[in-house]
Amino acid sequence: MFVHGPGRFGAAAWPHQHRLAGKYDCLFLRRHGFAPTAAPLPTDFQADMHIVLANLGEGGHVVAHSHGAISAMMAAVERPDLVRSLTLFEPACLSLTADLPATRAHRERLAPLYAARGELTDEQYLREFSWLMSGSRPGPLRTWQERREARRLRLQEAPWAAPLSIVPGLPTLVVTGGWEPLYEEVGEYLATTGAVHRHAPGHHRPQDRAEGHGLLAEFLPTLEQ
């Protein structure tokens, strides 16, 4: 089961993982508020978790990216009998590392913007969020798709607000891109709890590169031994 992060959703979020369908029964989920023809909805961590659990059937391996890792981990805590393994690409599981330096600095930088989002337009929020995250501000929103994505971004809850804990003994692979201390901090923390932490190029989407996909393809067969 594949759980997307921000931006692309469903199968479109996992272009390199389609090839695994030749060996595994693959399901590409769409999280709460990401319906292609409906207006975006605010983040609902519990709803995302229940979407994962409702589609696991008798159990399976869960692969998640960024914010999708939150619902994947919540599902593993709620039903450890169903989640057989986790593979997390650049997981935004910031509530686990809330008191560590990179996460603390990230929270201090973005918390005022999250607090003010109700007073901002979608475009204003996008510009400020982009500035705080990358030091650049995008131009005017020109298409309905751009306006929809800006609305969806403003409705996303801060990832550090998610109720997360660890499932001891659950086979877990964490893949980070080595470009951002925030995600490296999460990966290193999860490694202290028993996860395997690996690096692959590809910035925030290492699963889109051969190296990142290869780590997943190598990990899954080890779970069948």
Side-chain angles (χ1 to χ4, degrees):
M1 176 180 294
F2 294 85
V3 189
H4 66 88
R8 289 176 280 176
F9 50 88
W14 302 94
H16 283 256
Q17 284 65 54
H18 294 173
R19 68 193 74 174
L20 291 174
K23 184 175 182 180
Y24 302 97
D25 183 11
C26 295
L27 179 62
F28 300 91
L29 290 190
R30 188 171 63 231
R31 289 165 47 217
H32 173 81
F34 282 81
T37 58
L41 297 172
T43 297
D44 187 329
F45 296 124
Q46 290 292 328
D48 283 345
M49 178 192 73
H50 287 299
I51 290 171
V52 173
L53 293 176
N55 286 279
L56 270 176
E58 297 181 355
H61 306 292
V62 180
V63 182
H65 171 233
S66 190
H67 291 63
I70 294 172
S71 51
M73 290 199 70
M74 288 177 63
V77 171
E78 184 75 10
R79 291 294 305 273
D81 57 314
L82 294 182
V83 179
R84 296 172 184 164
S85 74
L86 291 173
T87 300
L88 309 176
F89 289 96
E90 294 257 306
C93 301
L94 306 186
S95 52
L96 297 176
T97 54
D99 296 323
L100 298 181
T103 304
R104 185 168 57 247
H106 179 78
R107 290 180 62 184
E108 291 173 353
R109 187 168 67 252
L110 267 74
L113 180 61
Y114 276 102
R117 59 185 168 163
E119 305 167 8
L120 301 174
T121 68
D122 299 334
E123 187 165 350
Q124 288 171 335
Y125 184 86
L126 172 63
R127 287 174 58 82
E128 294 307 311
F129 185 87
S130 298
W131 175 255
L132 291 172
M133 291 296 291
S134 64
S136 63
R137 288 190 171 96
L141 303 177
R142 301 189 183 279
T143 68
W144 68 267
Q145 292 96 335
E146 290 176 345
R147 291 189 290 271
R148 183 182 63 182
E149 290 309 307
R151 167 62 60 88
R152 181 172 286 128
L153 176 65
R154 189 172 66 84
L155 293 175
Q156 297 304 294
E157 183 57 82
W160 57 79
L164 286 180
S165 56
I166 299 296
V167 182
L170 178 65
T172 302
L173 169 66
V174 180
V175 182
T176 55
W179 67 284
E180 168 55 60
L182 182 70
Y183 297 108
E184 297 307 311
E185 189 171 74
V186 174
E188 290 165 7
Y189 173 82
L190 289 172
T192 68
T193 71
V196 175
H197 181 200
R198 296 288 184 264
H199 293 90
H203 207 250
H204 190 46
R205 293 186 58 87
Q207 69 269 30
D208 289 352
R209 300 284 287 272
E211 295 90 337
H213 176 75
L215 290 172
L216 170 63
E218 292 169 4
F219 177 61
L220 290 174
T222 68
L223 304 170
E224 302 171 357
Q225 297 175 359

